[in-house]
């Protein structure tokens, strides 16, 4: 079971969690498909052993988040790490004004990443340069917002919902008997919006908080973040790190987000020798052997099959 869906706890980096699971699984071959910041929680897809080769096919998946955006204060990291560096009165904001500022985001195709991020500039991670006090200017990068729902707004963050559950469409909504999410302590009693976002890979929700504040004319920061879904993996099926079970996971074929195409023993041999098969299916798909194990990720286009990644027996 080399693919694990884990609920990353507050305060750990994604690397911290991977290091912990390397010890528990007894292998150094552990990675993940999509970083979460230390102050964010929720779905992290962890890949062990040969599953690390799946990372390029999983890390580009659409992500879903529950986010709290606090208005009236900004921070260098754009989240609740602090310190507060700019303040302004945001008491004039209303739910209607926030809702009216959201539609333009759905048209955006680019976003300026946070300076405290893993984006490289001149070969150096921007967050490392920023923590050294160096000025970091990052160019816009591809990003995309598929859906943004304003769930609640309150002048006091303590008045916002704290428990949630997925509805019939898999979208997490306030539900008093539901799951209680733990976030960082608010930096102050700032007016705060609770939003549900569906975004393309590479989109920073911290940058969204900054840009929403700019659109509303006030400084803002991301006060908490929960990833509720990464691709087809939801938080309701994630393991807590404290009760992690190595036997509860997915095989490579189960985790692959593409259709599966069975092939026979002779075709398995040919694929593992790097030989392409006659085209059977357009687009990306997985080739599986008679036992259901993943042999390769392939792509059909222009009447030909191309092997993107081959997995050994």
């Amino acid at each position: 079971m080399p693919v694990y869906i884990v609920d990353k706890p507050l305060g750990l980096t994604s690397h911290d969690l991977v290091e912990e699971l390397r010890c528990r699984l007894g292998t150094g071959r552990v990675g993940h498909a999509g970083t979460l910041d230390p102050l964010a929680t929720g779905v992290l897809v962890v890949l062990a052993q040969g599953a690390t080769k799946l990372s390029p096919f999983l890390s580009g998946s659409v992500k879903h988040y529950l986010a709290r955006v606090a208005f009236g204060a900004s921070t260098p990291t754009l989240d609740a790490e602090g310190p507060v560096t700019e303040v302004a009165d945001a008491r004039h904001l209303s739910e209607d004004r926030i809702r009216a500022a959201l539609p333009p985001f759905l048209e955006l195709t680019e976003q300026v990443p946070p300076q405290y991020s893993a984006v490289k500039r001149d070969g150096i991670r921007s967050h490392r340069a920023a923590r050294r006090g160096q000025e970091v200017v990052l160019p816009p990068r591809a990003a995309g917002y598929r859906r943004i729902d304003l769930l609640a707004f309150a002048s006091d963050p303590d008045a916002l919902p704290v428990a949630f559950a997925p509805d019939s469409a898999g979208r997490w909504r306030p539900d008093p008997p539901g799951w209680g999410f733990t976030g960082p302590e608010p930096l102050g009693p700032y007016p705060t919006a609770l939003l549900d976002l569906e975004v393309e890979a590479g989109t920073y929700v911290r940058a969204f908080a900054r840009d929403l504040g700019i659109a509303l004319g006030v400084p803002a920061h991301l006060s908490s973040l929960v990833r509720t879904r990464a691709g087809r993996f939801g938080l309701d099926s994630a393991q807590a790190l404290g009760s992690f079970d190595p036997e509860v996971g997915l095989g490579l074929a189960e985790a692959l987000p593409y259709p599966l195409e069975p092939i026979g023993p002779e075709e398995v041999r040919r694929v593992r020798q790097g030989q392409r098969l006659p085209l059977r299916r357009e687009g990306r798909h997985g080739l599986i052997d008679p036992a259901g194990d993943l042999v390769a990720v392939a792509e059909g286009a222009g009447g030909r099959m191309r092997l993107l990644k081959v997995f050994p027996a």
Side-chain angles (χ1 to χ4, degrees):
M1 294 297 182
V3 180
Y4 302 98
I5 315 305
V6 182
D7 181 2
K8 188 192 84 65
L10 184 69
L12 291 185
T13 66
S14 300
H15 180 72
D16 291 337
L17 188 147
V18 165
E19 282 297 312
E20 173 68 21
L21 293 187
R22 282 174 178 160
C23 294
R24 298 197 193 187
L25 294 169
T27 175
R29 294 182 64 195
V30 181
H32 63 78
T35 301
L36 274 176
D37 294 330
L39 296 187
T41 65
V43 175
L44 190 70
V45 180
V46 177
L47 310 172
Q49 301 288 3
T52 55
K53 293 183 178 182
L54 284 181
S55 182
F57 309 110
L58 299 178
S59 57
S61 62
V62 171
K63 310 295 195 302
H64 296 217
Y65 295 96
L66 284 175
R68 287 189 176 199
V69 178
F71 302 99
S74 63
T75 71
T77 57
L78 306 183
D79 63 10
E81 181 179 337
V84 173
T85 53
E86 183 183 0
V87 295
D89 190 350
R91 289 176 296 178
H92 62 285
L93 292 182
S94 66
E95 187 170 329
D96 287 343
R97 288 193 64 176
I98 295 170
R99 198 179 304 278
L102 299 178
F105 285 91
L106 300 175
E107 305 300 322
L108 297 180
T109 58
E110 290 185 326
Q111 172 195 74
V112 176
Q115 62 173 337
Y116 286 81
S117 67
V119 175
K120 286 187 176 181
R121 184 70 168 169
D122 299 326
I124 301 173
R125 299 286 185 188
S126 61
H127 67 83
R128 292 178 181 170
R131 293 189 189 281
R132 293 172 189 158
Q134 300 174 7
E135 183 179 3
V136 178
V137 179
L138 297 175
R141 293 165 60 96
Y145 301 88
R146 291 193 173 192
R147 178 178 51 81
I148 309 173
D149 296 334
L150 178 62
L151 303 182
F153 174 70
S155 58
D156 182 348
D158 290 339
L160 290 173
V162 295
F164 304 84
D167 63 14
S168 59
R171 297 175 180 176
W172 288 73
R173 294 293 182 261
D175 184 8
W179 296 32
F181 293 149
T182 302
E185 285 295 318
L187 295 179
Y190 301 109
T192 303
L194 171 66
L195 303 109
D196 176 33
L197 299 96
E198 181 180 345
V199 303
E200 302 284 352
T203 304
Y204 285 89
V205 184
R206 284 183 289 137
F208 165 76
R210 173 201 64 201
D211 296 342
L212 180 57
I214 292 171
L216 293 165
V218 296
H221 68 275
L222 183 68
S223 59
S224 71
L225 185 70
V226 181
R227 183 188 284 164
T228 57
R229 178 168 291 276
R232 58 190 182 87
F233 305 120
L235 183 58
D236 49 338
S237 61
Q239 295 192 67
L241 181 59
S243 56
F244 176 78
D245 183 351
E247 299 302 316
V248 179
L250 302 170
L252 275 65
E254 291 179 275
L256 194 70
Y258 309 130
L260 300 176
E261 186 75 27
I263 57 176
E266 176 59 22
E267 292 171 309
V268 170
R269 185 189 64 80
R270 290 173 57 194
V271 167
R272 288 202 166 119
Q273 291 178 347
Q275 301 178 33
R276 290 183 296 193
L277 303 179
L279 179 67
R280 294 189 180 187
R281 183 189 290 266
E282 293 288 332
R284 289 190 176 182
H285 54 281
L287 302 176
I288 57 173
D289 65 16
D293 294 326
L294 186 64
V295 177
V297 178
E299 185 169 52
R304 303 184 68 185
M305 174 191 288
R306 183 163 64 104
L307 297 175
L308 303 179
K309 186 72 69 175
V310 177
F311 297 84

